[in-house]
Every structure is written in structure tokens, then in C-alpha cells.
Amino acid sequence: MPNAIPSSAPHIRCAHCPRKFRNQGGLTHHLNTHHRELTPPPNDEDHTEDHSFTYVRHPRSAARPCDENGDVLPPHAPPVPSTPTLDPENPWSPFEDRLSFDFASFHFVELQTSRAQVDTAIDLWAAAISKHGDSVPWNNTEQIYKTIDAIQQGTSPWKVYKIKCQGPRPVGTVPKWMDEEYELCTRDTRLLILGQLRTSDFKGNFHYGPYMQFNAQGDRIWSNLMSADWAWKQADEIFAEHGDDAVGAMFIPVIAGSDKTTVSVATGHQQYHPVYISSGGITNTARRAHGNAVTPAAFLPIPKTSKKQRKNPLYQKFVRQLYHACLARIFAPLKDGMSKPELVRCPDGHLRRAYFGLGPYIADYPEQVYLSGIVNNWCPKCEANPDFLDNPDALPRSHQRTRVLIQAFDPGILWRELGIRVDVVPFTVGFPRADIHELLSPDLLHQVIKGTFKDHLVTWVYQYLKLEYGEARALEITQDIDRRISAVPPFPGLRRFPDGRDFQQWTGDDSKALMKVFLTAIIGYVPSEMVQCISVFLDFCYLARRNSHSLATLQQLEQALDRFHHHRNIFIRSGVRVDISLPRQHSLMHYVPSIRLYGSPNGLCSSITESKHIKAVKEPWRRSNRYNALVQMLRTISRLEKLTAARREFTKWGMMVGSTSSYTMMVLEGGAPEPLEESDEEVDNEDEELGPVSGPKVLSSVKLARRAESGYPRYLQPLARHIDQPHFPEALRRFLWAQLHPDTNISADLVPLNECPPFHGRISVYHSAVAHFYAPSDVCGAGGMHRERIRSNPNWRGEYPRYDTVLVDTNADRPGMLGMTVGRVLLFFAFTFRDVYYPCALVHWLIPVGDGPDPESGLWVVKPEFDAARRRTLEVVHIDSVARAAHLLPIYNSALPEDFHFSLSLDVFRAFFVNRFADHHMHEFLT
């Protein structure tokens, strides 16, 4: 059997009490719960960080709490009270009560009900209460909108600026675009940032100043923006410029991002160009979570003209100058605060003196070209020539260097030799301490996922198949690859491809999902080096996506990139490419320096801004009448923000506890709401596969579902017959022997069965278990916690059996797969023996093939284990020894039949790859 020593035996002792734990996750949860006062965080806002790290704060950027005059408060002084946000006469103001607020929020936010439907709902409500002599607070939808607009929290008003071309007119016919007015819709970015800063939801997920983080070995760690070199350097420059006036102040970088999005193809590719902003002090996990950490600040004008005029140099110059003029106007409200400190309210409730600064800018490559004022196909960060973009000796770009070059050389030479446009001045030139070439951040979505993987590598693989096999055979192979992709076993959060990858319009989520399963599907059809190329590229992608980086991971990134550059030459040798000099692939060379500057790219990725398009652009557009839609969209955005902010405030004071009816009954009976305490309670939804989790950081914790299943025999022998596992009773008795002898080195398999304790108690059966673990690189709560549901269900959704696979900790002293064994969960169950409760799993082992990963794919290979009689090797394991779900990819040795169903994969294939690309936590866990 895989584990000679029972994996469920306690072996980790708490340093503060006699408790022992079976894994590090249990110990961490215990420390967070019972000994939190013994492991104080570096400051009151870092409780989401691992306390084993050392933090060095910037010596002069102390971010000291102040009073309303800017004078420093004594240590541990309470925050200066803020202006009350709730009316003491009617805390629900401008609504009458909880019922009216919930009615408005339900129809406007959740149902997105039309005006006519809301009017009908109001009429029905009025009819229901009129017989009691009561009346509704509104007569129609317009009155509800006026009430929502009267909410004071949560937004900054939109303003529209009219812009017109002021350049000289040509002789003769003047192009229409010269006389048109263009509208910039924007809000006060200063007020938006101040609103983010005072949001108490970010308490515990905010850094007030630059810091350096070191692990237990003394190695530097780069994670959040404020942990990296750029923020530290900015603080140095602020104190160099302002001297003692800046001592004790905090630095607030403003992260920006812009990205065009199409809301309707059917109505002529209607596009909008939103700009988003975020405070750089917010942690990466909180920025990626849903909330107001990223806020729409503006909509840029999108000039349109005829195809002929688009090629006009005057028009191209105007479009670029319009773009930069608008950006300069958007960030103008922050400019004064970049040179003199402003008193701001922070997430912990304290006032602090703060300097603003333009921070990293999130954009895809076409937008980076506009932002940096360069020629297309050149790099916006260095002067590498498009014919040799990966030149390691290319000089970095900067405003200062560009200014010198423009003074020294002819515009034509600069265009041809250095890719510089002299007719565009980047908007950052007018702001202190800002250089757009430096501020452009890595973009995992467009450079790595959509760009290098989907647009390049996947496309090149299919081009290779056509070159190598011809059109007809390549089509057959492509269809089999699609069947392989659709045959992968289910896994929490894994998008299914029922028709393979054969869909017309790709999204970022499509590309991310395909990355998880594409590698093994092409094995056998493409050269080994092509498989190695994609494998090492996936390693680069998953390494770059990590929430924190050390010197070791940066070295791994560089090594992965070197290997990728080496292996990608297979596409040149096979005739797919003549050369490889592509801007998005070249951008990978800037990742390691950018991580040192800005921390992990996962907090500065355009996937964050793209995810905001749904609430900020697409849903408001669908709710408009399509005529003068933007004005209606801006109203919708403001109302959604106001209702969300009001709900946040009401929740903080305990006014949203319970249902509308239960709360109303409590008030009618004389009760009153109480402010809520922080809680990490989660609702256990059996249909939910995975999602973010609040609460303290725990490395790993697995619990059975809250509800036991009915319809199963409650005793051992009948249950074994019911699930058709006759060796289940023996496995359970050997498990109990191991539990009763935790200090022995003898395997329970070697103990005579008659020496193992019999069990006659009752057993409860469960169809799932939920794993909670710290996975800040994946979908997670603001504190970095993630959950996934592991299934063991004989009739999943009434369609097919689903018995998931898990990673079981069998040797805690060895890293990754060396200390893990894969088991397929045939049953989740629990029982009590001698007054001890045991949550368990019955697993069928899958054992490693070889002593290391497969050299071609880089993945471990496992196969089902059978005894000499060809029976499954079964074992009962304690749920504490289960680390999390595992994802297995079949090893395909022949073409699949067209009607093959993925639910059969774990039963019919003889060997599997352990998919470390299933998610980012899995990659880090098994690498």
C-alpha cells in the first residue's frame, strides 16, 4: 500500500498547547483560532499575511494616523470619528424602511426589471396593503429612481466634456471628423479614490506604505504592489522632493486600466472605451475580488470616420492626441495631491496624510502602442527592433531618453530606427514622477493566455498538422483531439468542452480553460519537442500568475522562458514559421523586471478590467433603450454603485440580517439591529463546485458536506454490499487499528485481521466534501481563501456516477507528488468509535509510474493499483489526510470513438497524467 505509516496519525505538535495535528493546515487553523494573540501581524492591516514572514517598512513613509488637523495621534489612539453616514431619525433614509430598500435593490440590482414590470410590482404591492389602510412609498418607477439618486454614499457624479479638433483646416472640403464634437464622460478620480480608501471592507487587505517582505530563509518576496521596488522608489522621490513635510505620510499609487469592449455585434459593433482606477494599497486578492476595488472612472470618446480618412495622417494624429488629452483630463483632479499631502480617511477608520501618484497602467498591446506613443509592432518598454524583438541588449525607453532623441534626430529616422512617433506626447509627461514606459504593467491575459498560447501556439499546432498530414488527415486528427479534450474527467471549476475546442468566438475564459487540458490531447500527433515547448510555456504562465514571487521563482521564470525560446524553434524547423519576432511573445522578457517593480502580475492583469465590463458596460447597455445609450448607462452605473454602497453600510450596522419579513417582525416586536462582528461562516450549497471563501488563512482543511444522504444502509456489512465493495469492512478495521496505534511503524496491512478491532456502529454517508485552502492565485476571497467541492456520487445530477480523485498526504516530509498519493474516492462517510468521531473516505489507490515526471509532458503519471488477484487496492483514510481534489488526464493511445462519454474516463483508461495545470494552486502544490 502507498502509506506505510497511517497518514491520519497526528504528528505535528502545537508550540503553545498539547494539541497535535495531522497536517500543517490543521495547525495553522488552530493557531489562527486559539493563539492569534501570540502571532501578531506586522501591523493592524496585515492579518491576511503569513506571520512567518519578516516585513521591513519604508523608514520615512510611516503612514501615521492623524487628527483632523493633520497632527500625529499617539500610539493606539482610536480613529477620529467620521461624519455619521446614517440619519439617526431614519437610518434607512432616503428609503422608508428595510422593505422599501429591499424592493428597490431586488428589482434594480438583482432582477434588472424593466420600468413596466416595476410599475406592475408597485401596483400589486399597493393592492395588497390598501385593505389595511397602508400605502406604498412610490407611485411609479421614476419615483424609485429619484430615491436611489438621493443616496449620499457610493459614487461621484459624471460630467461630460465636449471636445473638438482645433487644428488648421485644409483647403477645400473639410473632413467631417474635424467639425464633429466628441464627448468625454468622466468622474472626479480623486473622489473615487477617496471613496475606495474609506471602504471598511478593505480593512485587513490594505497596505499603507511601501515595504519589503522576506521569508524565513531571508529571501525577498514580491507580492502586492506596495511590496515591490517601484513603490519604495516613489516614496524615496517624494521625500527627496518634500523633505520633512513628507515624513509620516503615506503614498497612494493610483492604478489605471483601459480597454475597448463591444456590446453588440448585431447593431454595428457598438463599442465603448471605459477607463478604470484602483488604489494601489489594496492587496492583489482584494482587487481581483468583486467589489469597488476597481471602479469605472471614464468613458473615452471613440472617433469614427470613413476607411479613406482613417489612413489620413492628420486624422491619426488627432485621434492619438485626443486620447492623451482625455487621459490627462481624467487624472487632473489627482495632480495637486501628488505634490502636497492630503488628509484621507483609510479602511481602518483613521485619518492619514497622503501623497497620490500615477501607478501601473493595465492595457493590451494595441492600447500600449497608443499610450506610449510608439509605432505599431515595436515594444513600448524597450527599443528592440521588430525584426529582432528578443534582443537582450535593447535599451529601455523613457520620457527623458525620447525627449533627447527627438531633439537630436529627424522624425523619419526616429520612426524607422526606433519606432518613436514625434507627433504624440504621452499624457504622463504632465504628471510628477510618472513615465508611461515604466508604468505599463505585464498583461497575463492578452500577452500570455490569449496571445502566446491561443493566438500563437494553438494556431501553430494546427498549422503543423496540415503541413505534416495534409488537409484530410489533419481534419481527422483535429476531430480526435477535440474528442480527447471533451473526454477529460470532471473537476471543480473546469469548463467542459463538449465539442472540443471547436467554437467560433474565443473568450479569455475559453483560453484559460483550454490551457488546462490541451497539452496531453496533442501527444502522439505532434513532435515531442512541440509538446515540451507547450509544457514549458504553461510552466512560465502558471509561475508568472503566482500571487507572490521569491528569488527562486524569478529564477524559475527565467529558466522557463529560456527553455521556451529554445523549444519554440521546432515551429521554424517544421515550416510553420519563418521566424518568431512577435510583440506579445517579446513582452515575456519584461516579466521578471516588472515583477521586481510591481509585484505579482495577477493583481495588474486586464482580466480584472475585462471582468468589470459586465457590470460597468454590458449590463447597463442592455438596460438602455439604445438611443443615446451612454447617458442612460452612466445613470445605471451610478444607481448600482449607490445601492451597493448603501447595502454595504446597512450590513455593517446589522440592518440586513435575516430576511425582509423576519427583520420587519423583529422591529415590530421592539427589537433593534446590532453591528455585525466579522465572521467566516459560509453557506454550504451542494450544487456549488468552487468559489471564494472569507475567514482566516488556512493552508488546507477538508470537511464533509453538512447533510448526510438518506437511502443508505446504516451498518457496515449491508453498506458494503450496497456499494458493491466487499473489502470495505476489512479496510475499515485496519483503519481503526492504525488510529489506535498512532506511534507504531508497522503498516496496518501487515497486522492479522483478527487483531483489528471490529466495528458494529452506525455509519453516515455523504456525497461530497469541501476542501478549503489558501489559493490567492485563483478565484478566492479578499484574504486569499478558496474552496472546492469533491464529489463521490453514484448518480450525479441523475445522469452518471461521479467519483472524484484526491491527493492524499502520505509523507508530509517530502514535497509535491513525492509526498502525495492519488486516490479515487469511492465513498465519503463518518462514524463514531469509542467516543471519537471519524470523518473518512474509502479510496482506490492510483500509484506513480516511475520515480519522476514524464520527460515529454513534465507531468507525473499514475495508474490504478490492483492486488495479485486483480482486485482494487482499497483503504480507508481520515479526511484530514486529504489535501484537495486531483485532476487526472487520460493517456490516449488510440483514437476515441465519437460517442465516448467523459464519465467513463477514470474507469476505462489504464494510466493517467496528474494535471498540475488544473489550477494555479495545483501547479504550485505539485511543482
Side-chain angles (χ1 to χ4, degrees), residues 105-172:
S105 179
F106 181 65
H107 283 283
F108 193 80
V109 179
E110 296 185 41
L111 295 185
Q112 302 180 22
T113 315
S114 68
R115 284 174 177 258
Q117 291 170 323
V118 174
D119 286 340
T120 300
I122 292 174
D123 184 64
L124 293 173
W125 184 9
I129 65 175
S130 60
K131 56 188 175 183
H132 302 291
D134 292 334
S135 61
V136 296
W138 312 287
N139 295 323
N140 52 49
T141 307
E142 194 59 39
Q143 291 184 1
I144 294 182
Y145 288 162
K146 289 181 179 179
T147 302
I148 296 173
D149 293 338
I151 298 173
Q152 296 301 309
Q153 309 103 319
T155 191
S156 168
W158 290 91
K159 294 182 180 179
V160 178
Y161 295 90
K162 305 284 187 179
I163 306 171
K164 195 172 181 180
C165 178
Q166 300 297 320
R169 282 358 187 210
V171 178

Side-chain angles (χ1 to χ4, degrees), residues 63-127:
R64 296 171 182 164
C66 302
D67 61 19
E68 60 271 21
N69 298 316
D71 298 325
V72 176
L73 293 174
H76 309 298
V80 175
S82 60
T83 304
T85 54
L86 299 181
D87 184 350
E89 297 295 327
N90 176 22
W92 292 101
S93 179
F95 297 90
E96 287 188 1
D97 49 24
R98 164 80 179 265
L99 172 60
S100 58
F101 172 78
D102 280 351
F103 182 90
S105 179
F106 181 65
H107 283 283
F108 193 80
V109 179
E110 296 185 41
L111 295 185
Q112 302 180 22
T113 315
S114 68
R115 284 174 177 258
Q117 291 170 323
V118 174
D119 286 340
T120 300
I122 292 174
D123 184 64
L124 293 173
W125 184 9

Side-chain angles (χ1 to χ4, degrees), residues 309-571:
Q309 285 296 322
R310 282 180 220 156
K311 298 180 181 179
N312 185 336
L314 288 177
Y315 175 76
Q316 294 177 352
K317 177 180 178 180
F318 166 73
V319 169
R320 283 172 167 80
Q321 290 180 341
L322 172 67
Y323 177 81
H324 285 278
C326 288
L327 289 174
R329 183 64 193 83
I330 291 167
F331 296 105
L334 294 163
K335 198 168 185 178
D336 285 346
M338 297 177 184
S339 300
K340 57 184 179 182
E342 180 172 346
L343 207 58
V344 301
R345 180 80 60 177
C346 297
D348 63 353
H350 276 293
L351 294 172
R352 289 177 174 85
R353 296 165 58 243
Y355 286 89
F356 297 119
L358 291 185
Y361 202 107
I362 305 169
D364 60 12
Y365 178 73
E367 192 122 9
Q368 288 183 354
V369 169
Y370 263 62
L371 284 162
S372 57
I374 63 165
V375 179
N376 196 36
N377 292 325
W378 287 76
C379 175
K381 296 187 76 69
C382 73
E383 296 175 355
N385 191 283
D387 294 332
F388 183 29
L389 278 172
D390 292 339
N391 178 7
D393 300 321
L395 295 174
R397 296 186 187 273
S398 68
H399 287 340
Q400 182 179 1
R401 178 170 169 78
T402 299
R403 193 160 47 243
V404 171
L405 290 171
I406 290 175
Q407 293 172 352
F409 294 97
D410 179 79
I413 294 175
L414 295 177
W415 176 288
R416 291 190 305 271
E417 302 298 327
L418 294 172
I420 296 174
R421 301 184 66 108
V422 299
D423 59 347
V424 176
V425 178
F427 80 96
T428 48
V429 169
F431 290 84
R433 307 179 302 278
D435 189 321
I436 192 59
H437 302 293
E438 181 185 50
L439 292 177
L440 290 175
S441 65
D443 181 12
L444 290 165
L445 178 63
H446 290 97
Q447 293 168 346
V448 176
I449 300 169
K450 282 186 174 180
T452 304
F453 174 69
K454 177 255 179 180
D455 291 343
H456 299 163
L457 296 179
V458 173
T459 301
W460 295 351
V461 164
Y462 288 103
Q463 288 175 353
Y464 166 79
L465 294 176
K466 291 180 180 179
L467 287 173
E468 180 68 16
Y469 298 101
E471 289 279 351
R473 177 58 180 153
L475 178 60
E476 294 176 3
I477 293 173
T478 298
Q479 291 172 340
D480 189 52
I481 291 174
D482 286 346
R483 286 193 289 271
R484 290 180 174 187
I485 291 172
S486 65
V488 299
F491 185 74
L494 179 68
R495 182 199 153 165
R496 297 222 55 81
F497 292 91
D499 300 314
R501 40 141 297 279
D502 187 21
F503 40 84
Q504 294 181 353
Q505 186 170 351
W506 286 70
T507 66
D509 288 340
D510 294 330
S511 299
K512 293 174 188 176
L514 188 63
M515 292 179 79
K516 301 177 180 183
V517 297
F518 183 71
L519 176 67
T520 59
I522 63 174
I523 292 178
Y525 289 127
V526 300
S528 177
E529 190 170 6
M530 209 169 280
V531 176
Q532 293 177 60
C533 175
I534 294 175
S535 175
V536 74
F537 171 75
L538 292 177
D539 277 330
F540 178 92
C541 173
Y542 279 67
L543 282 166
R545 182 68 169 73
R546 290 190 182 179
N547 194 59
S548 62
H549 293 269
S550 64
L551 287 172
T553 60
L554 295 185
Q555 290 171 357
Q556 292 172 11
L557 263 179
E558 291 175 330
Q559 292 166 3
L561 185 59
D562 288 342
R563 295 199 304 273
F564 172 63
H565 285 165
H566 170 74
H567 289 306
R568 72 180 179 179
N569 288 322
I570 184 63
F571 291 105

Side-chain angles (χ1 to χ4, degrees), residues 494-751:
L494 179 68
R495 182 199 153 165
R496 297 222 55 81
F497 292 91
D499 300 314
R501 40 141 297 279
D502 187 21
F503 40 84
Q504 294 181 353
Q505 186 170 351
W506 286 70
T507 66
D509 288 340
D510 294 330
S511 299
K512 293 174 188 176
L514 188 63
M515 292 179 79
K516 301 177 180 183
V517 297
F518 183 71
L519 176 67
T520 59
I522 63 174
I523 292 178
Y525 289 127
V526 300
S528 177
E529 190 170 6
M530 209 169 280
V531 176
Q532 293 177 60
C533 175
I534 294 175
S535 175
V536 74
F537 171 75
L538 292 177
D539 277 330
F540 178 92
C541 173
Y542 279 67
L543 282 166
R545 182 68 169 73
R546 290 190 182 179
N547 194 59
S548 62
H549 293 269
S550 64
L551 287 172
T553 60
L554 295 185
Q555 290 171 357
Q556 292 172 11
L557 263 179
E558 291 175 330
Q559 292 166 3
L561 185 59
D562 288 342
R563 295 199 304 273
F564 172 63
H565 285 165
H566 170 74
H567 289 306
R568 72 180 179 179
N569 288 322
I570 184 63
F571 291 105
I572 297 176
R573 294 196 300 273
S574 62
V576 174
R577 297 285 302 179
V578 176
D579 60 56
I580 302 175
S581 184
L582 302 164
R584 285 179 291 180
Q585 284 200 34
H586 162 70
S587 68
L588 308 185
M589 295 185 64
H590 294 294
Y591 270 56
V592 169
S594 293
I595 289 170
R596 292 177 181 272
L597 275 179
Y598 300 124
S600 173
N602 77 345
L604 300 170
C605 178
S606 61
S607 60
I608 298 173
T609 54
E610 284 204 359
S611 68
K612 289 292 178 180
H613 288 341
I614 297 174
K615 293 294 183 183
V617 184
K618 296 186 178 183
E619 286 186 2
W621 185 83
R622 287 196 291 267
R623 294 167 73 162
S624 73
N625 63 14
R626 312 298 194 267
Y627 175 74
N628 199 12
L630 185 56
V631 173
Q632 299 170 60
M633 290 165 61
L634 301 182
R635 291 185 190 135
T636 299
I637 292 169
S638 294
R639 287 166 181 163
L640 286 170
E641 290 177 345
K642 282 174 173 287
L643 284 168
T644 301
R647 176 176 290 276
R648 187 185 303 119
E649 191 68 17
F650 294 154
T651 300
K652 183 173 71 174
W653 293 102
M655 297 161 62
M656 299 303 298
V657 171
S659 65
T660 310
S661 58
S662 65
Y663 179 89
T664 302
M665 289 299 298
M666 178 195 71
V667 173
L668 291 175
E669 292 171 359
E674 296 181 0
L676 292 180
E677 298 292 331
E678 294 183 7
S679 173
D680 63 340
E681 287 296 315
E682 302 292 335
V683 176
D684 192 18
N685 183 351
E686 284 286 340
D687 292 328
E688 195 171 58
E689 287 281 290
L690 82 169
V693 186
S694 61
K697 171 181 171 181
V698 180
L699 294 184
S700 179
S701 172
V702 181
K703 297 181 180 179
L704 294 176
R706 293 188 179 183
R707 185 182 70 250
E709 298 295 327
S710 60
Y712 284 88
R714 297 301 303 272
Y715 295 96
L716 184 58
Q717 294 294 343
L719 178 59
R721 291 191 293 269
H722 182 84
I723 65 174
D724 195 24
Q725 297 295 340
H727 297 284
F728 176 33
E730 176 185 341
L732 181 58
R733 292 180 67 182
R734 296 193 183 279
F735 167 80
L736 289 174
W737 185 91
Q739 293 296 305
L740 297 176
H741 302 83
D743 298 323
T744 183
N745 291 326
I746 301 174
S747 171
D749 299 319
L750 304 177
V751 178

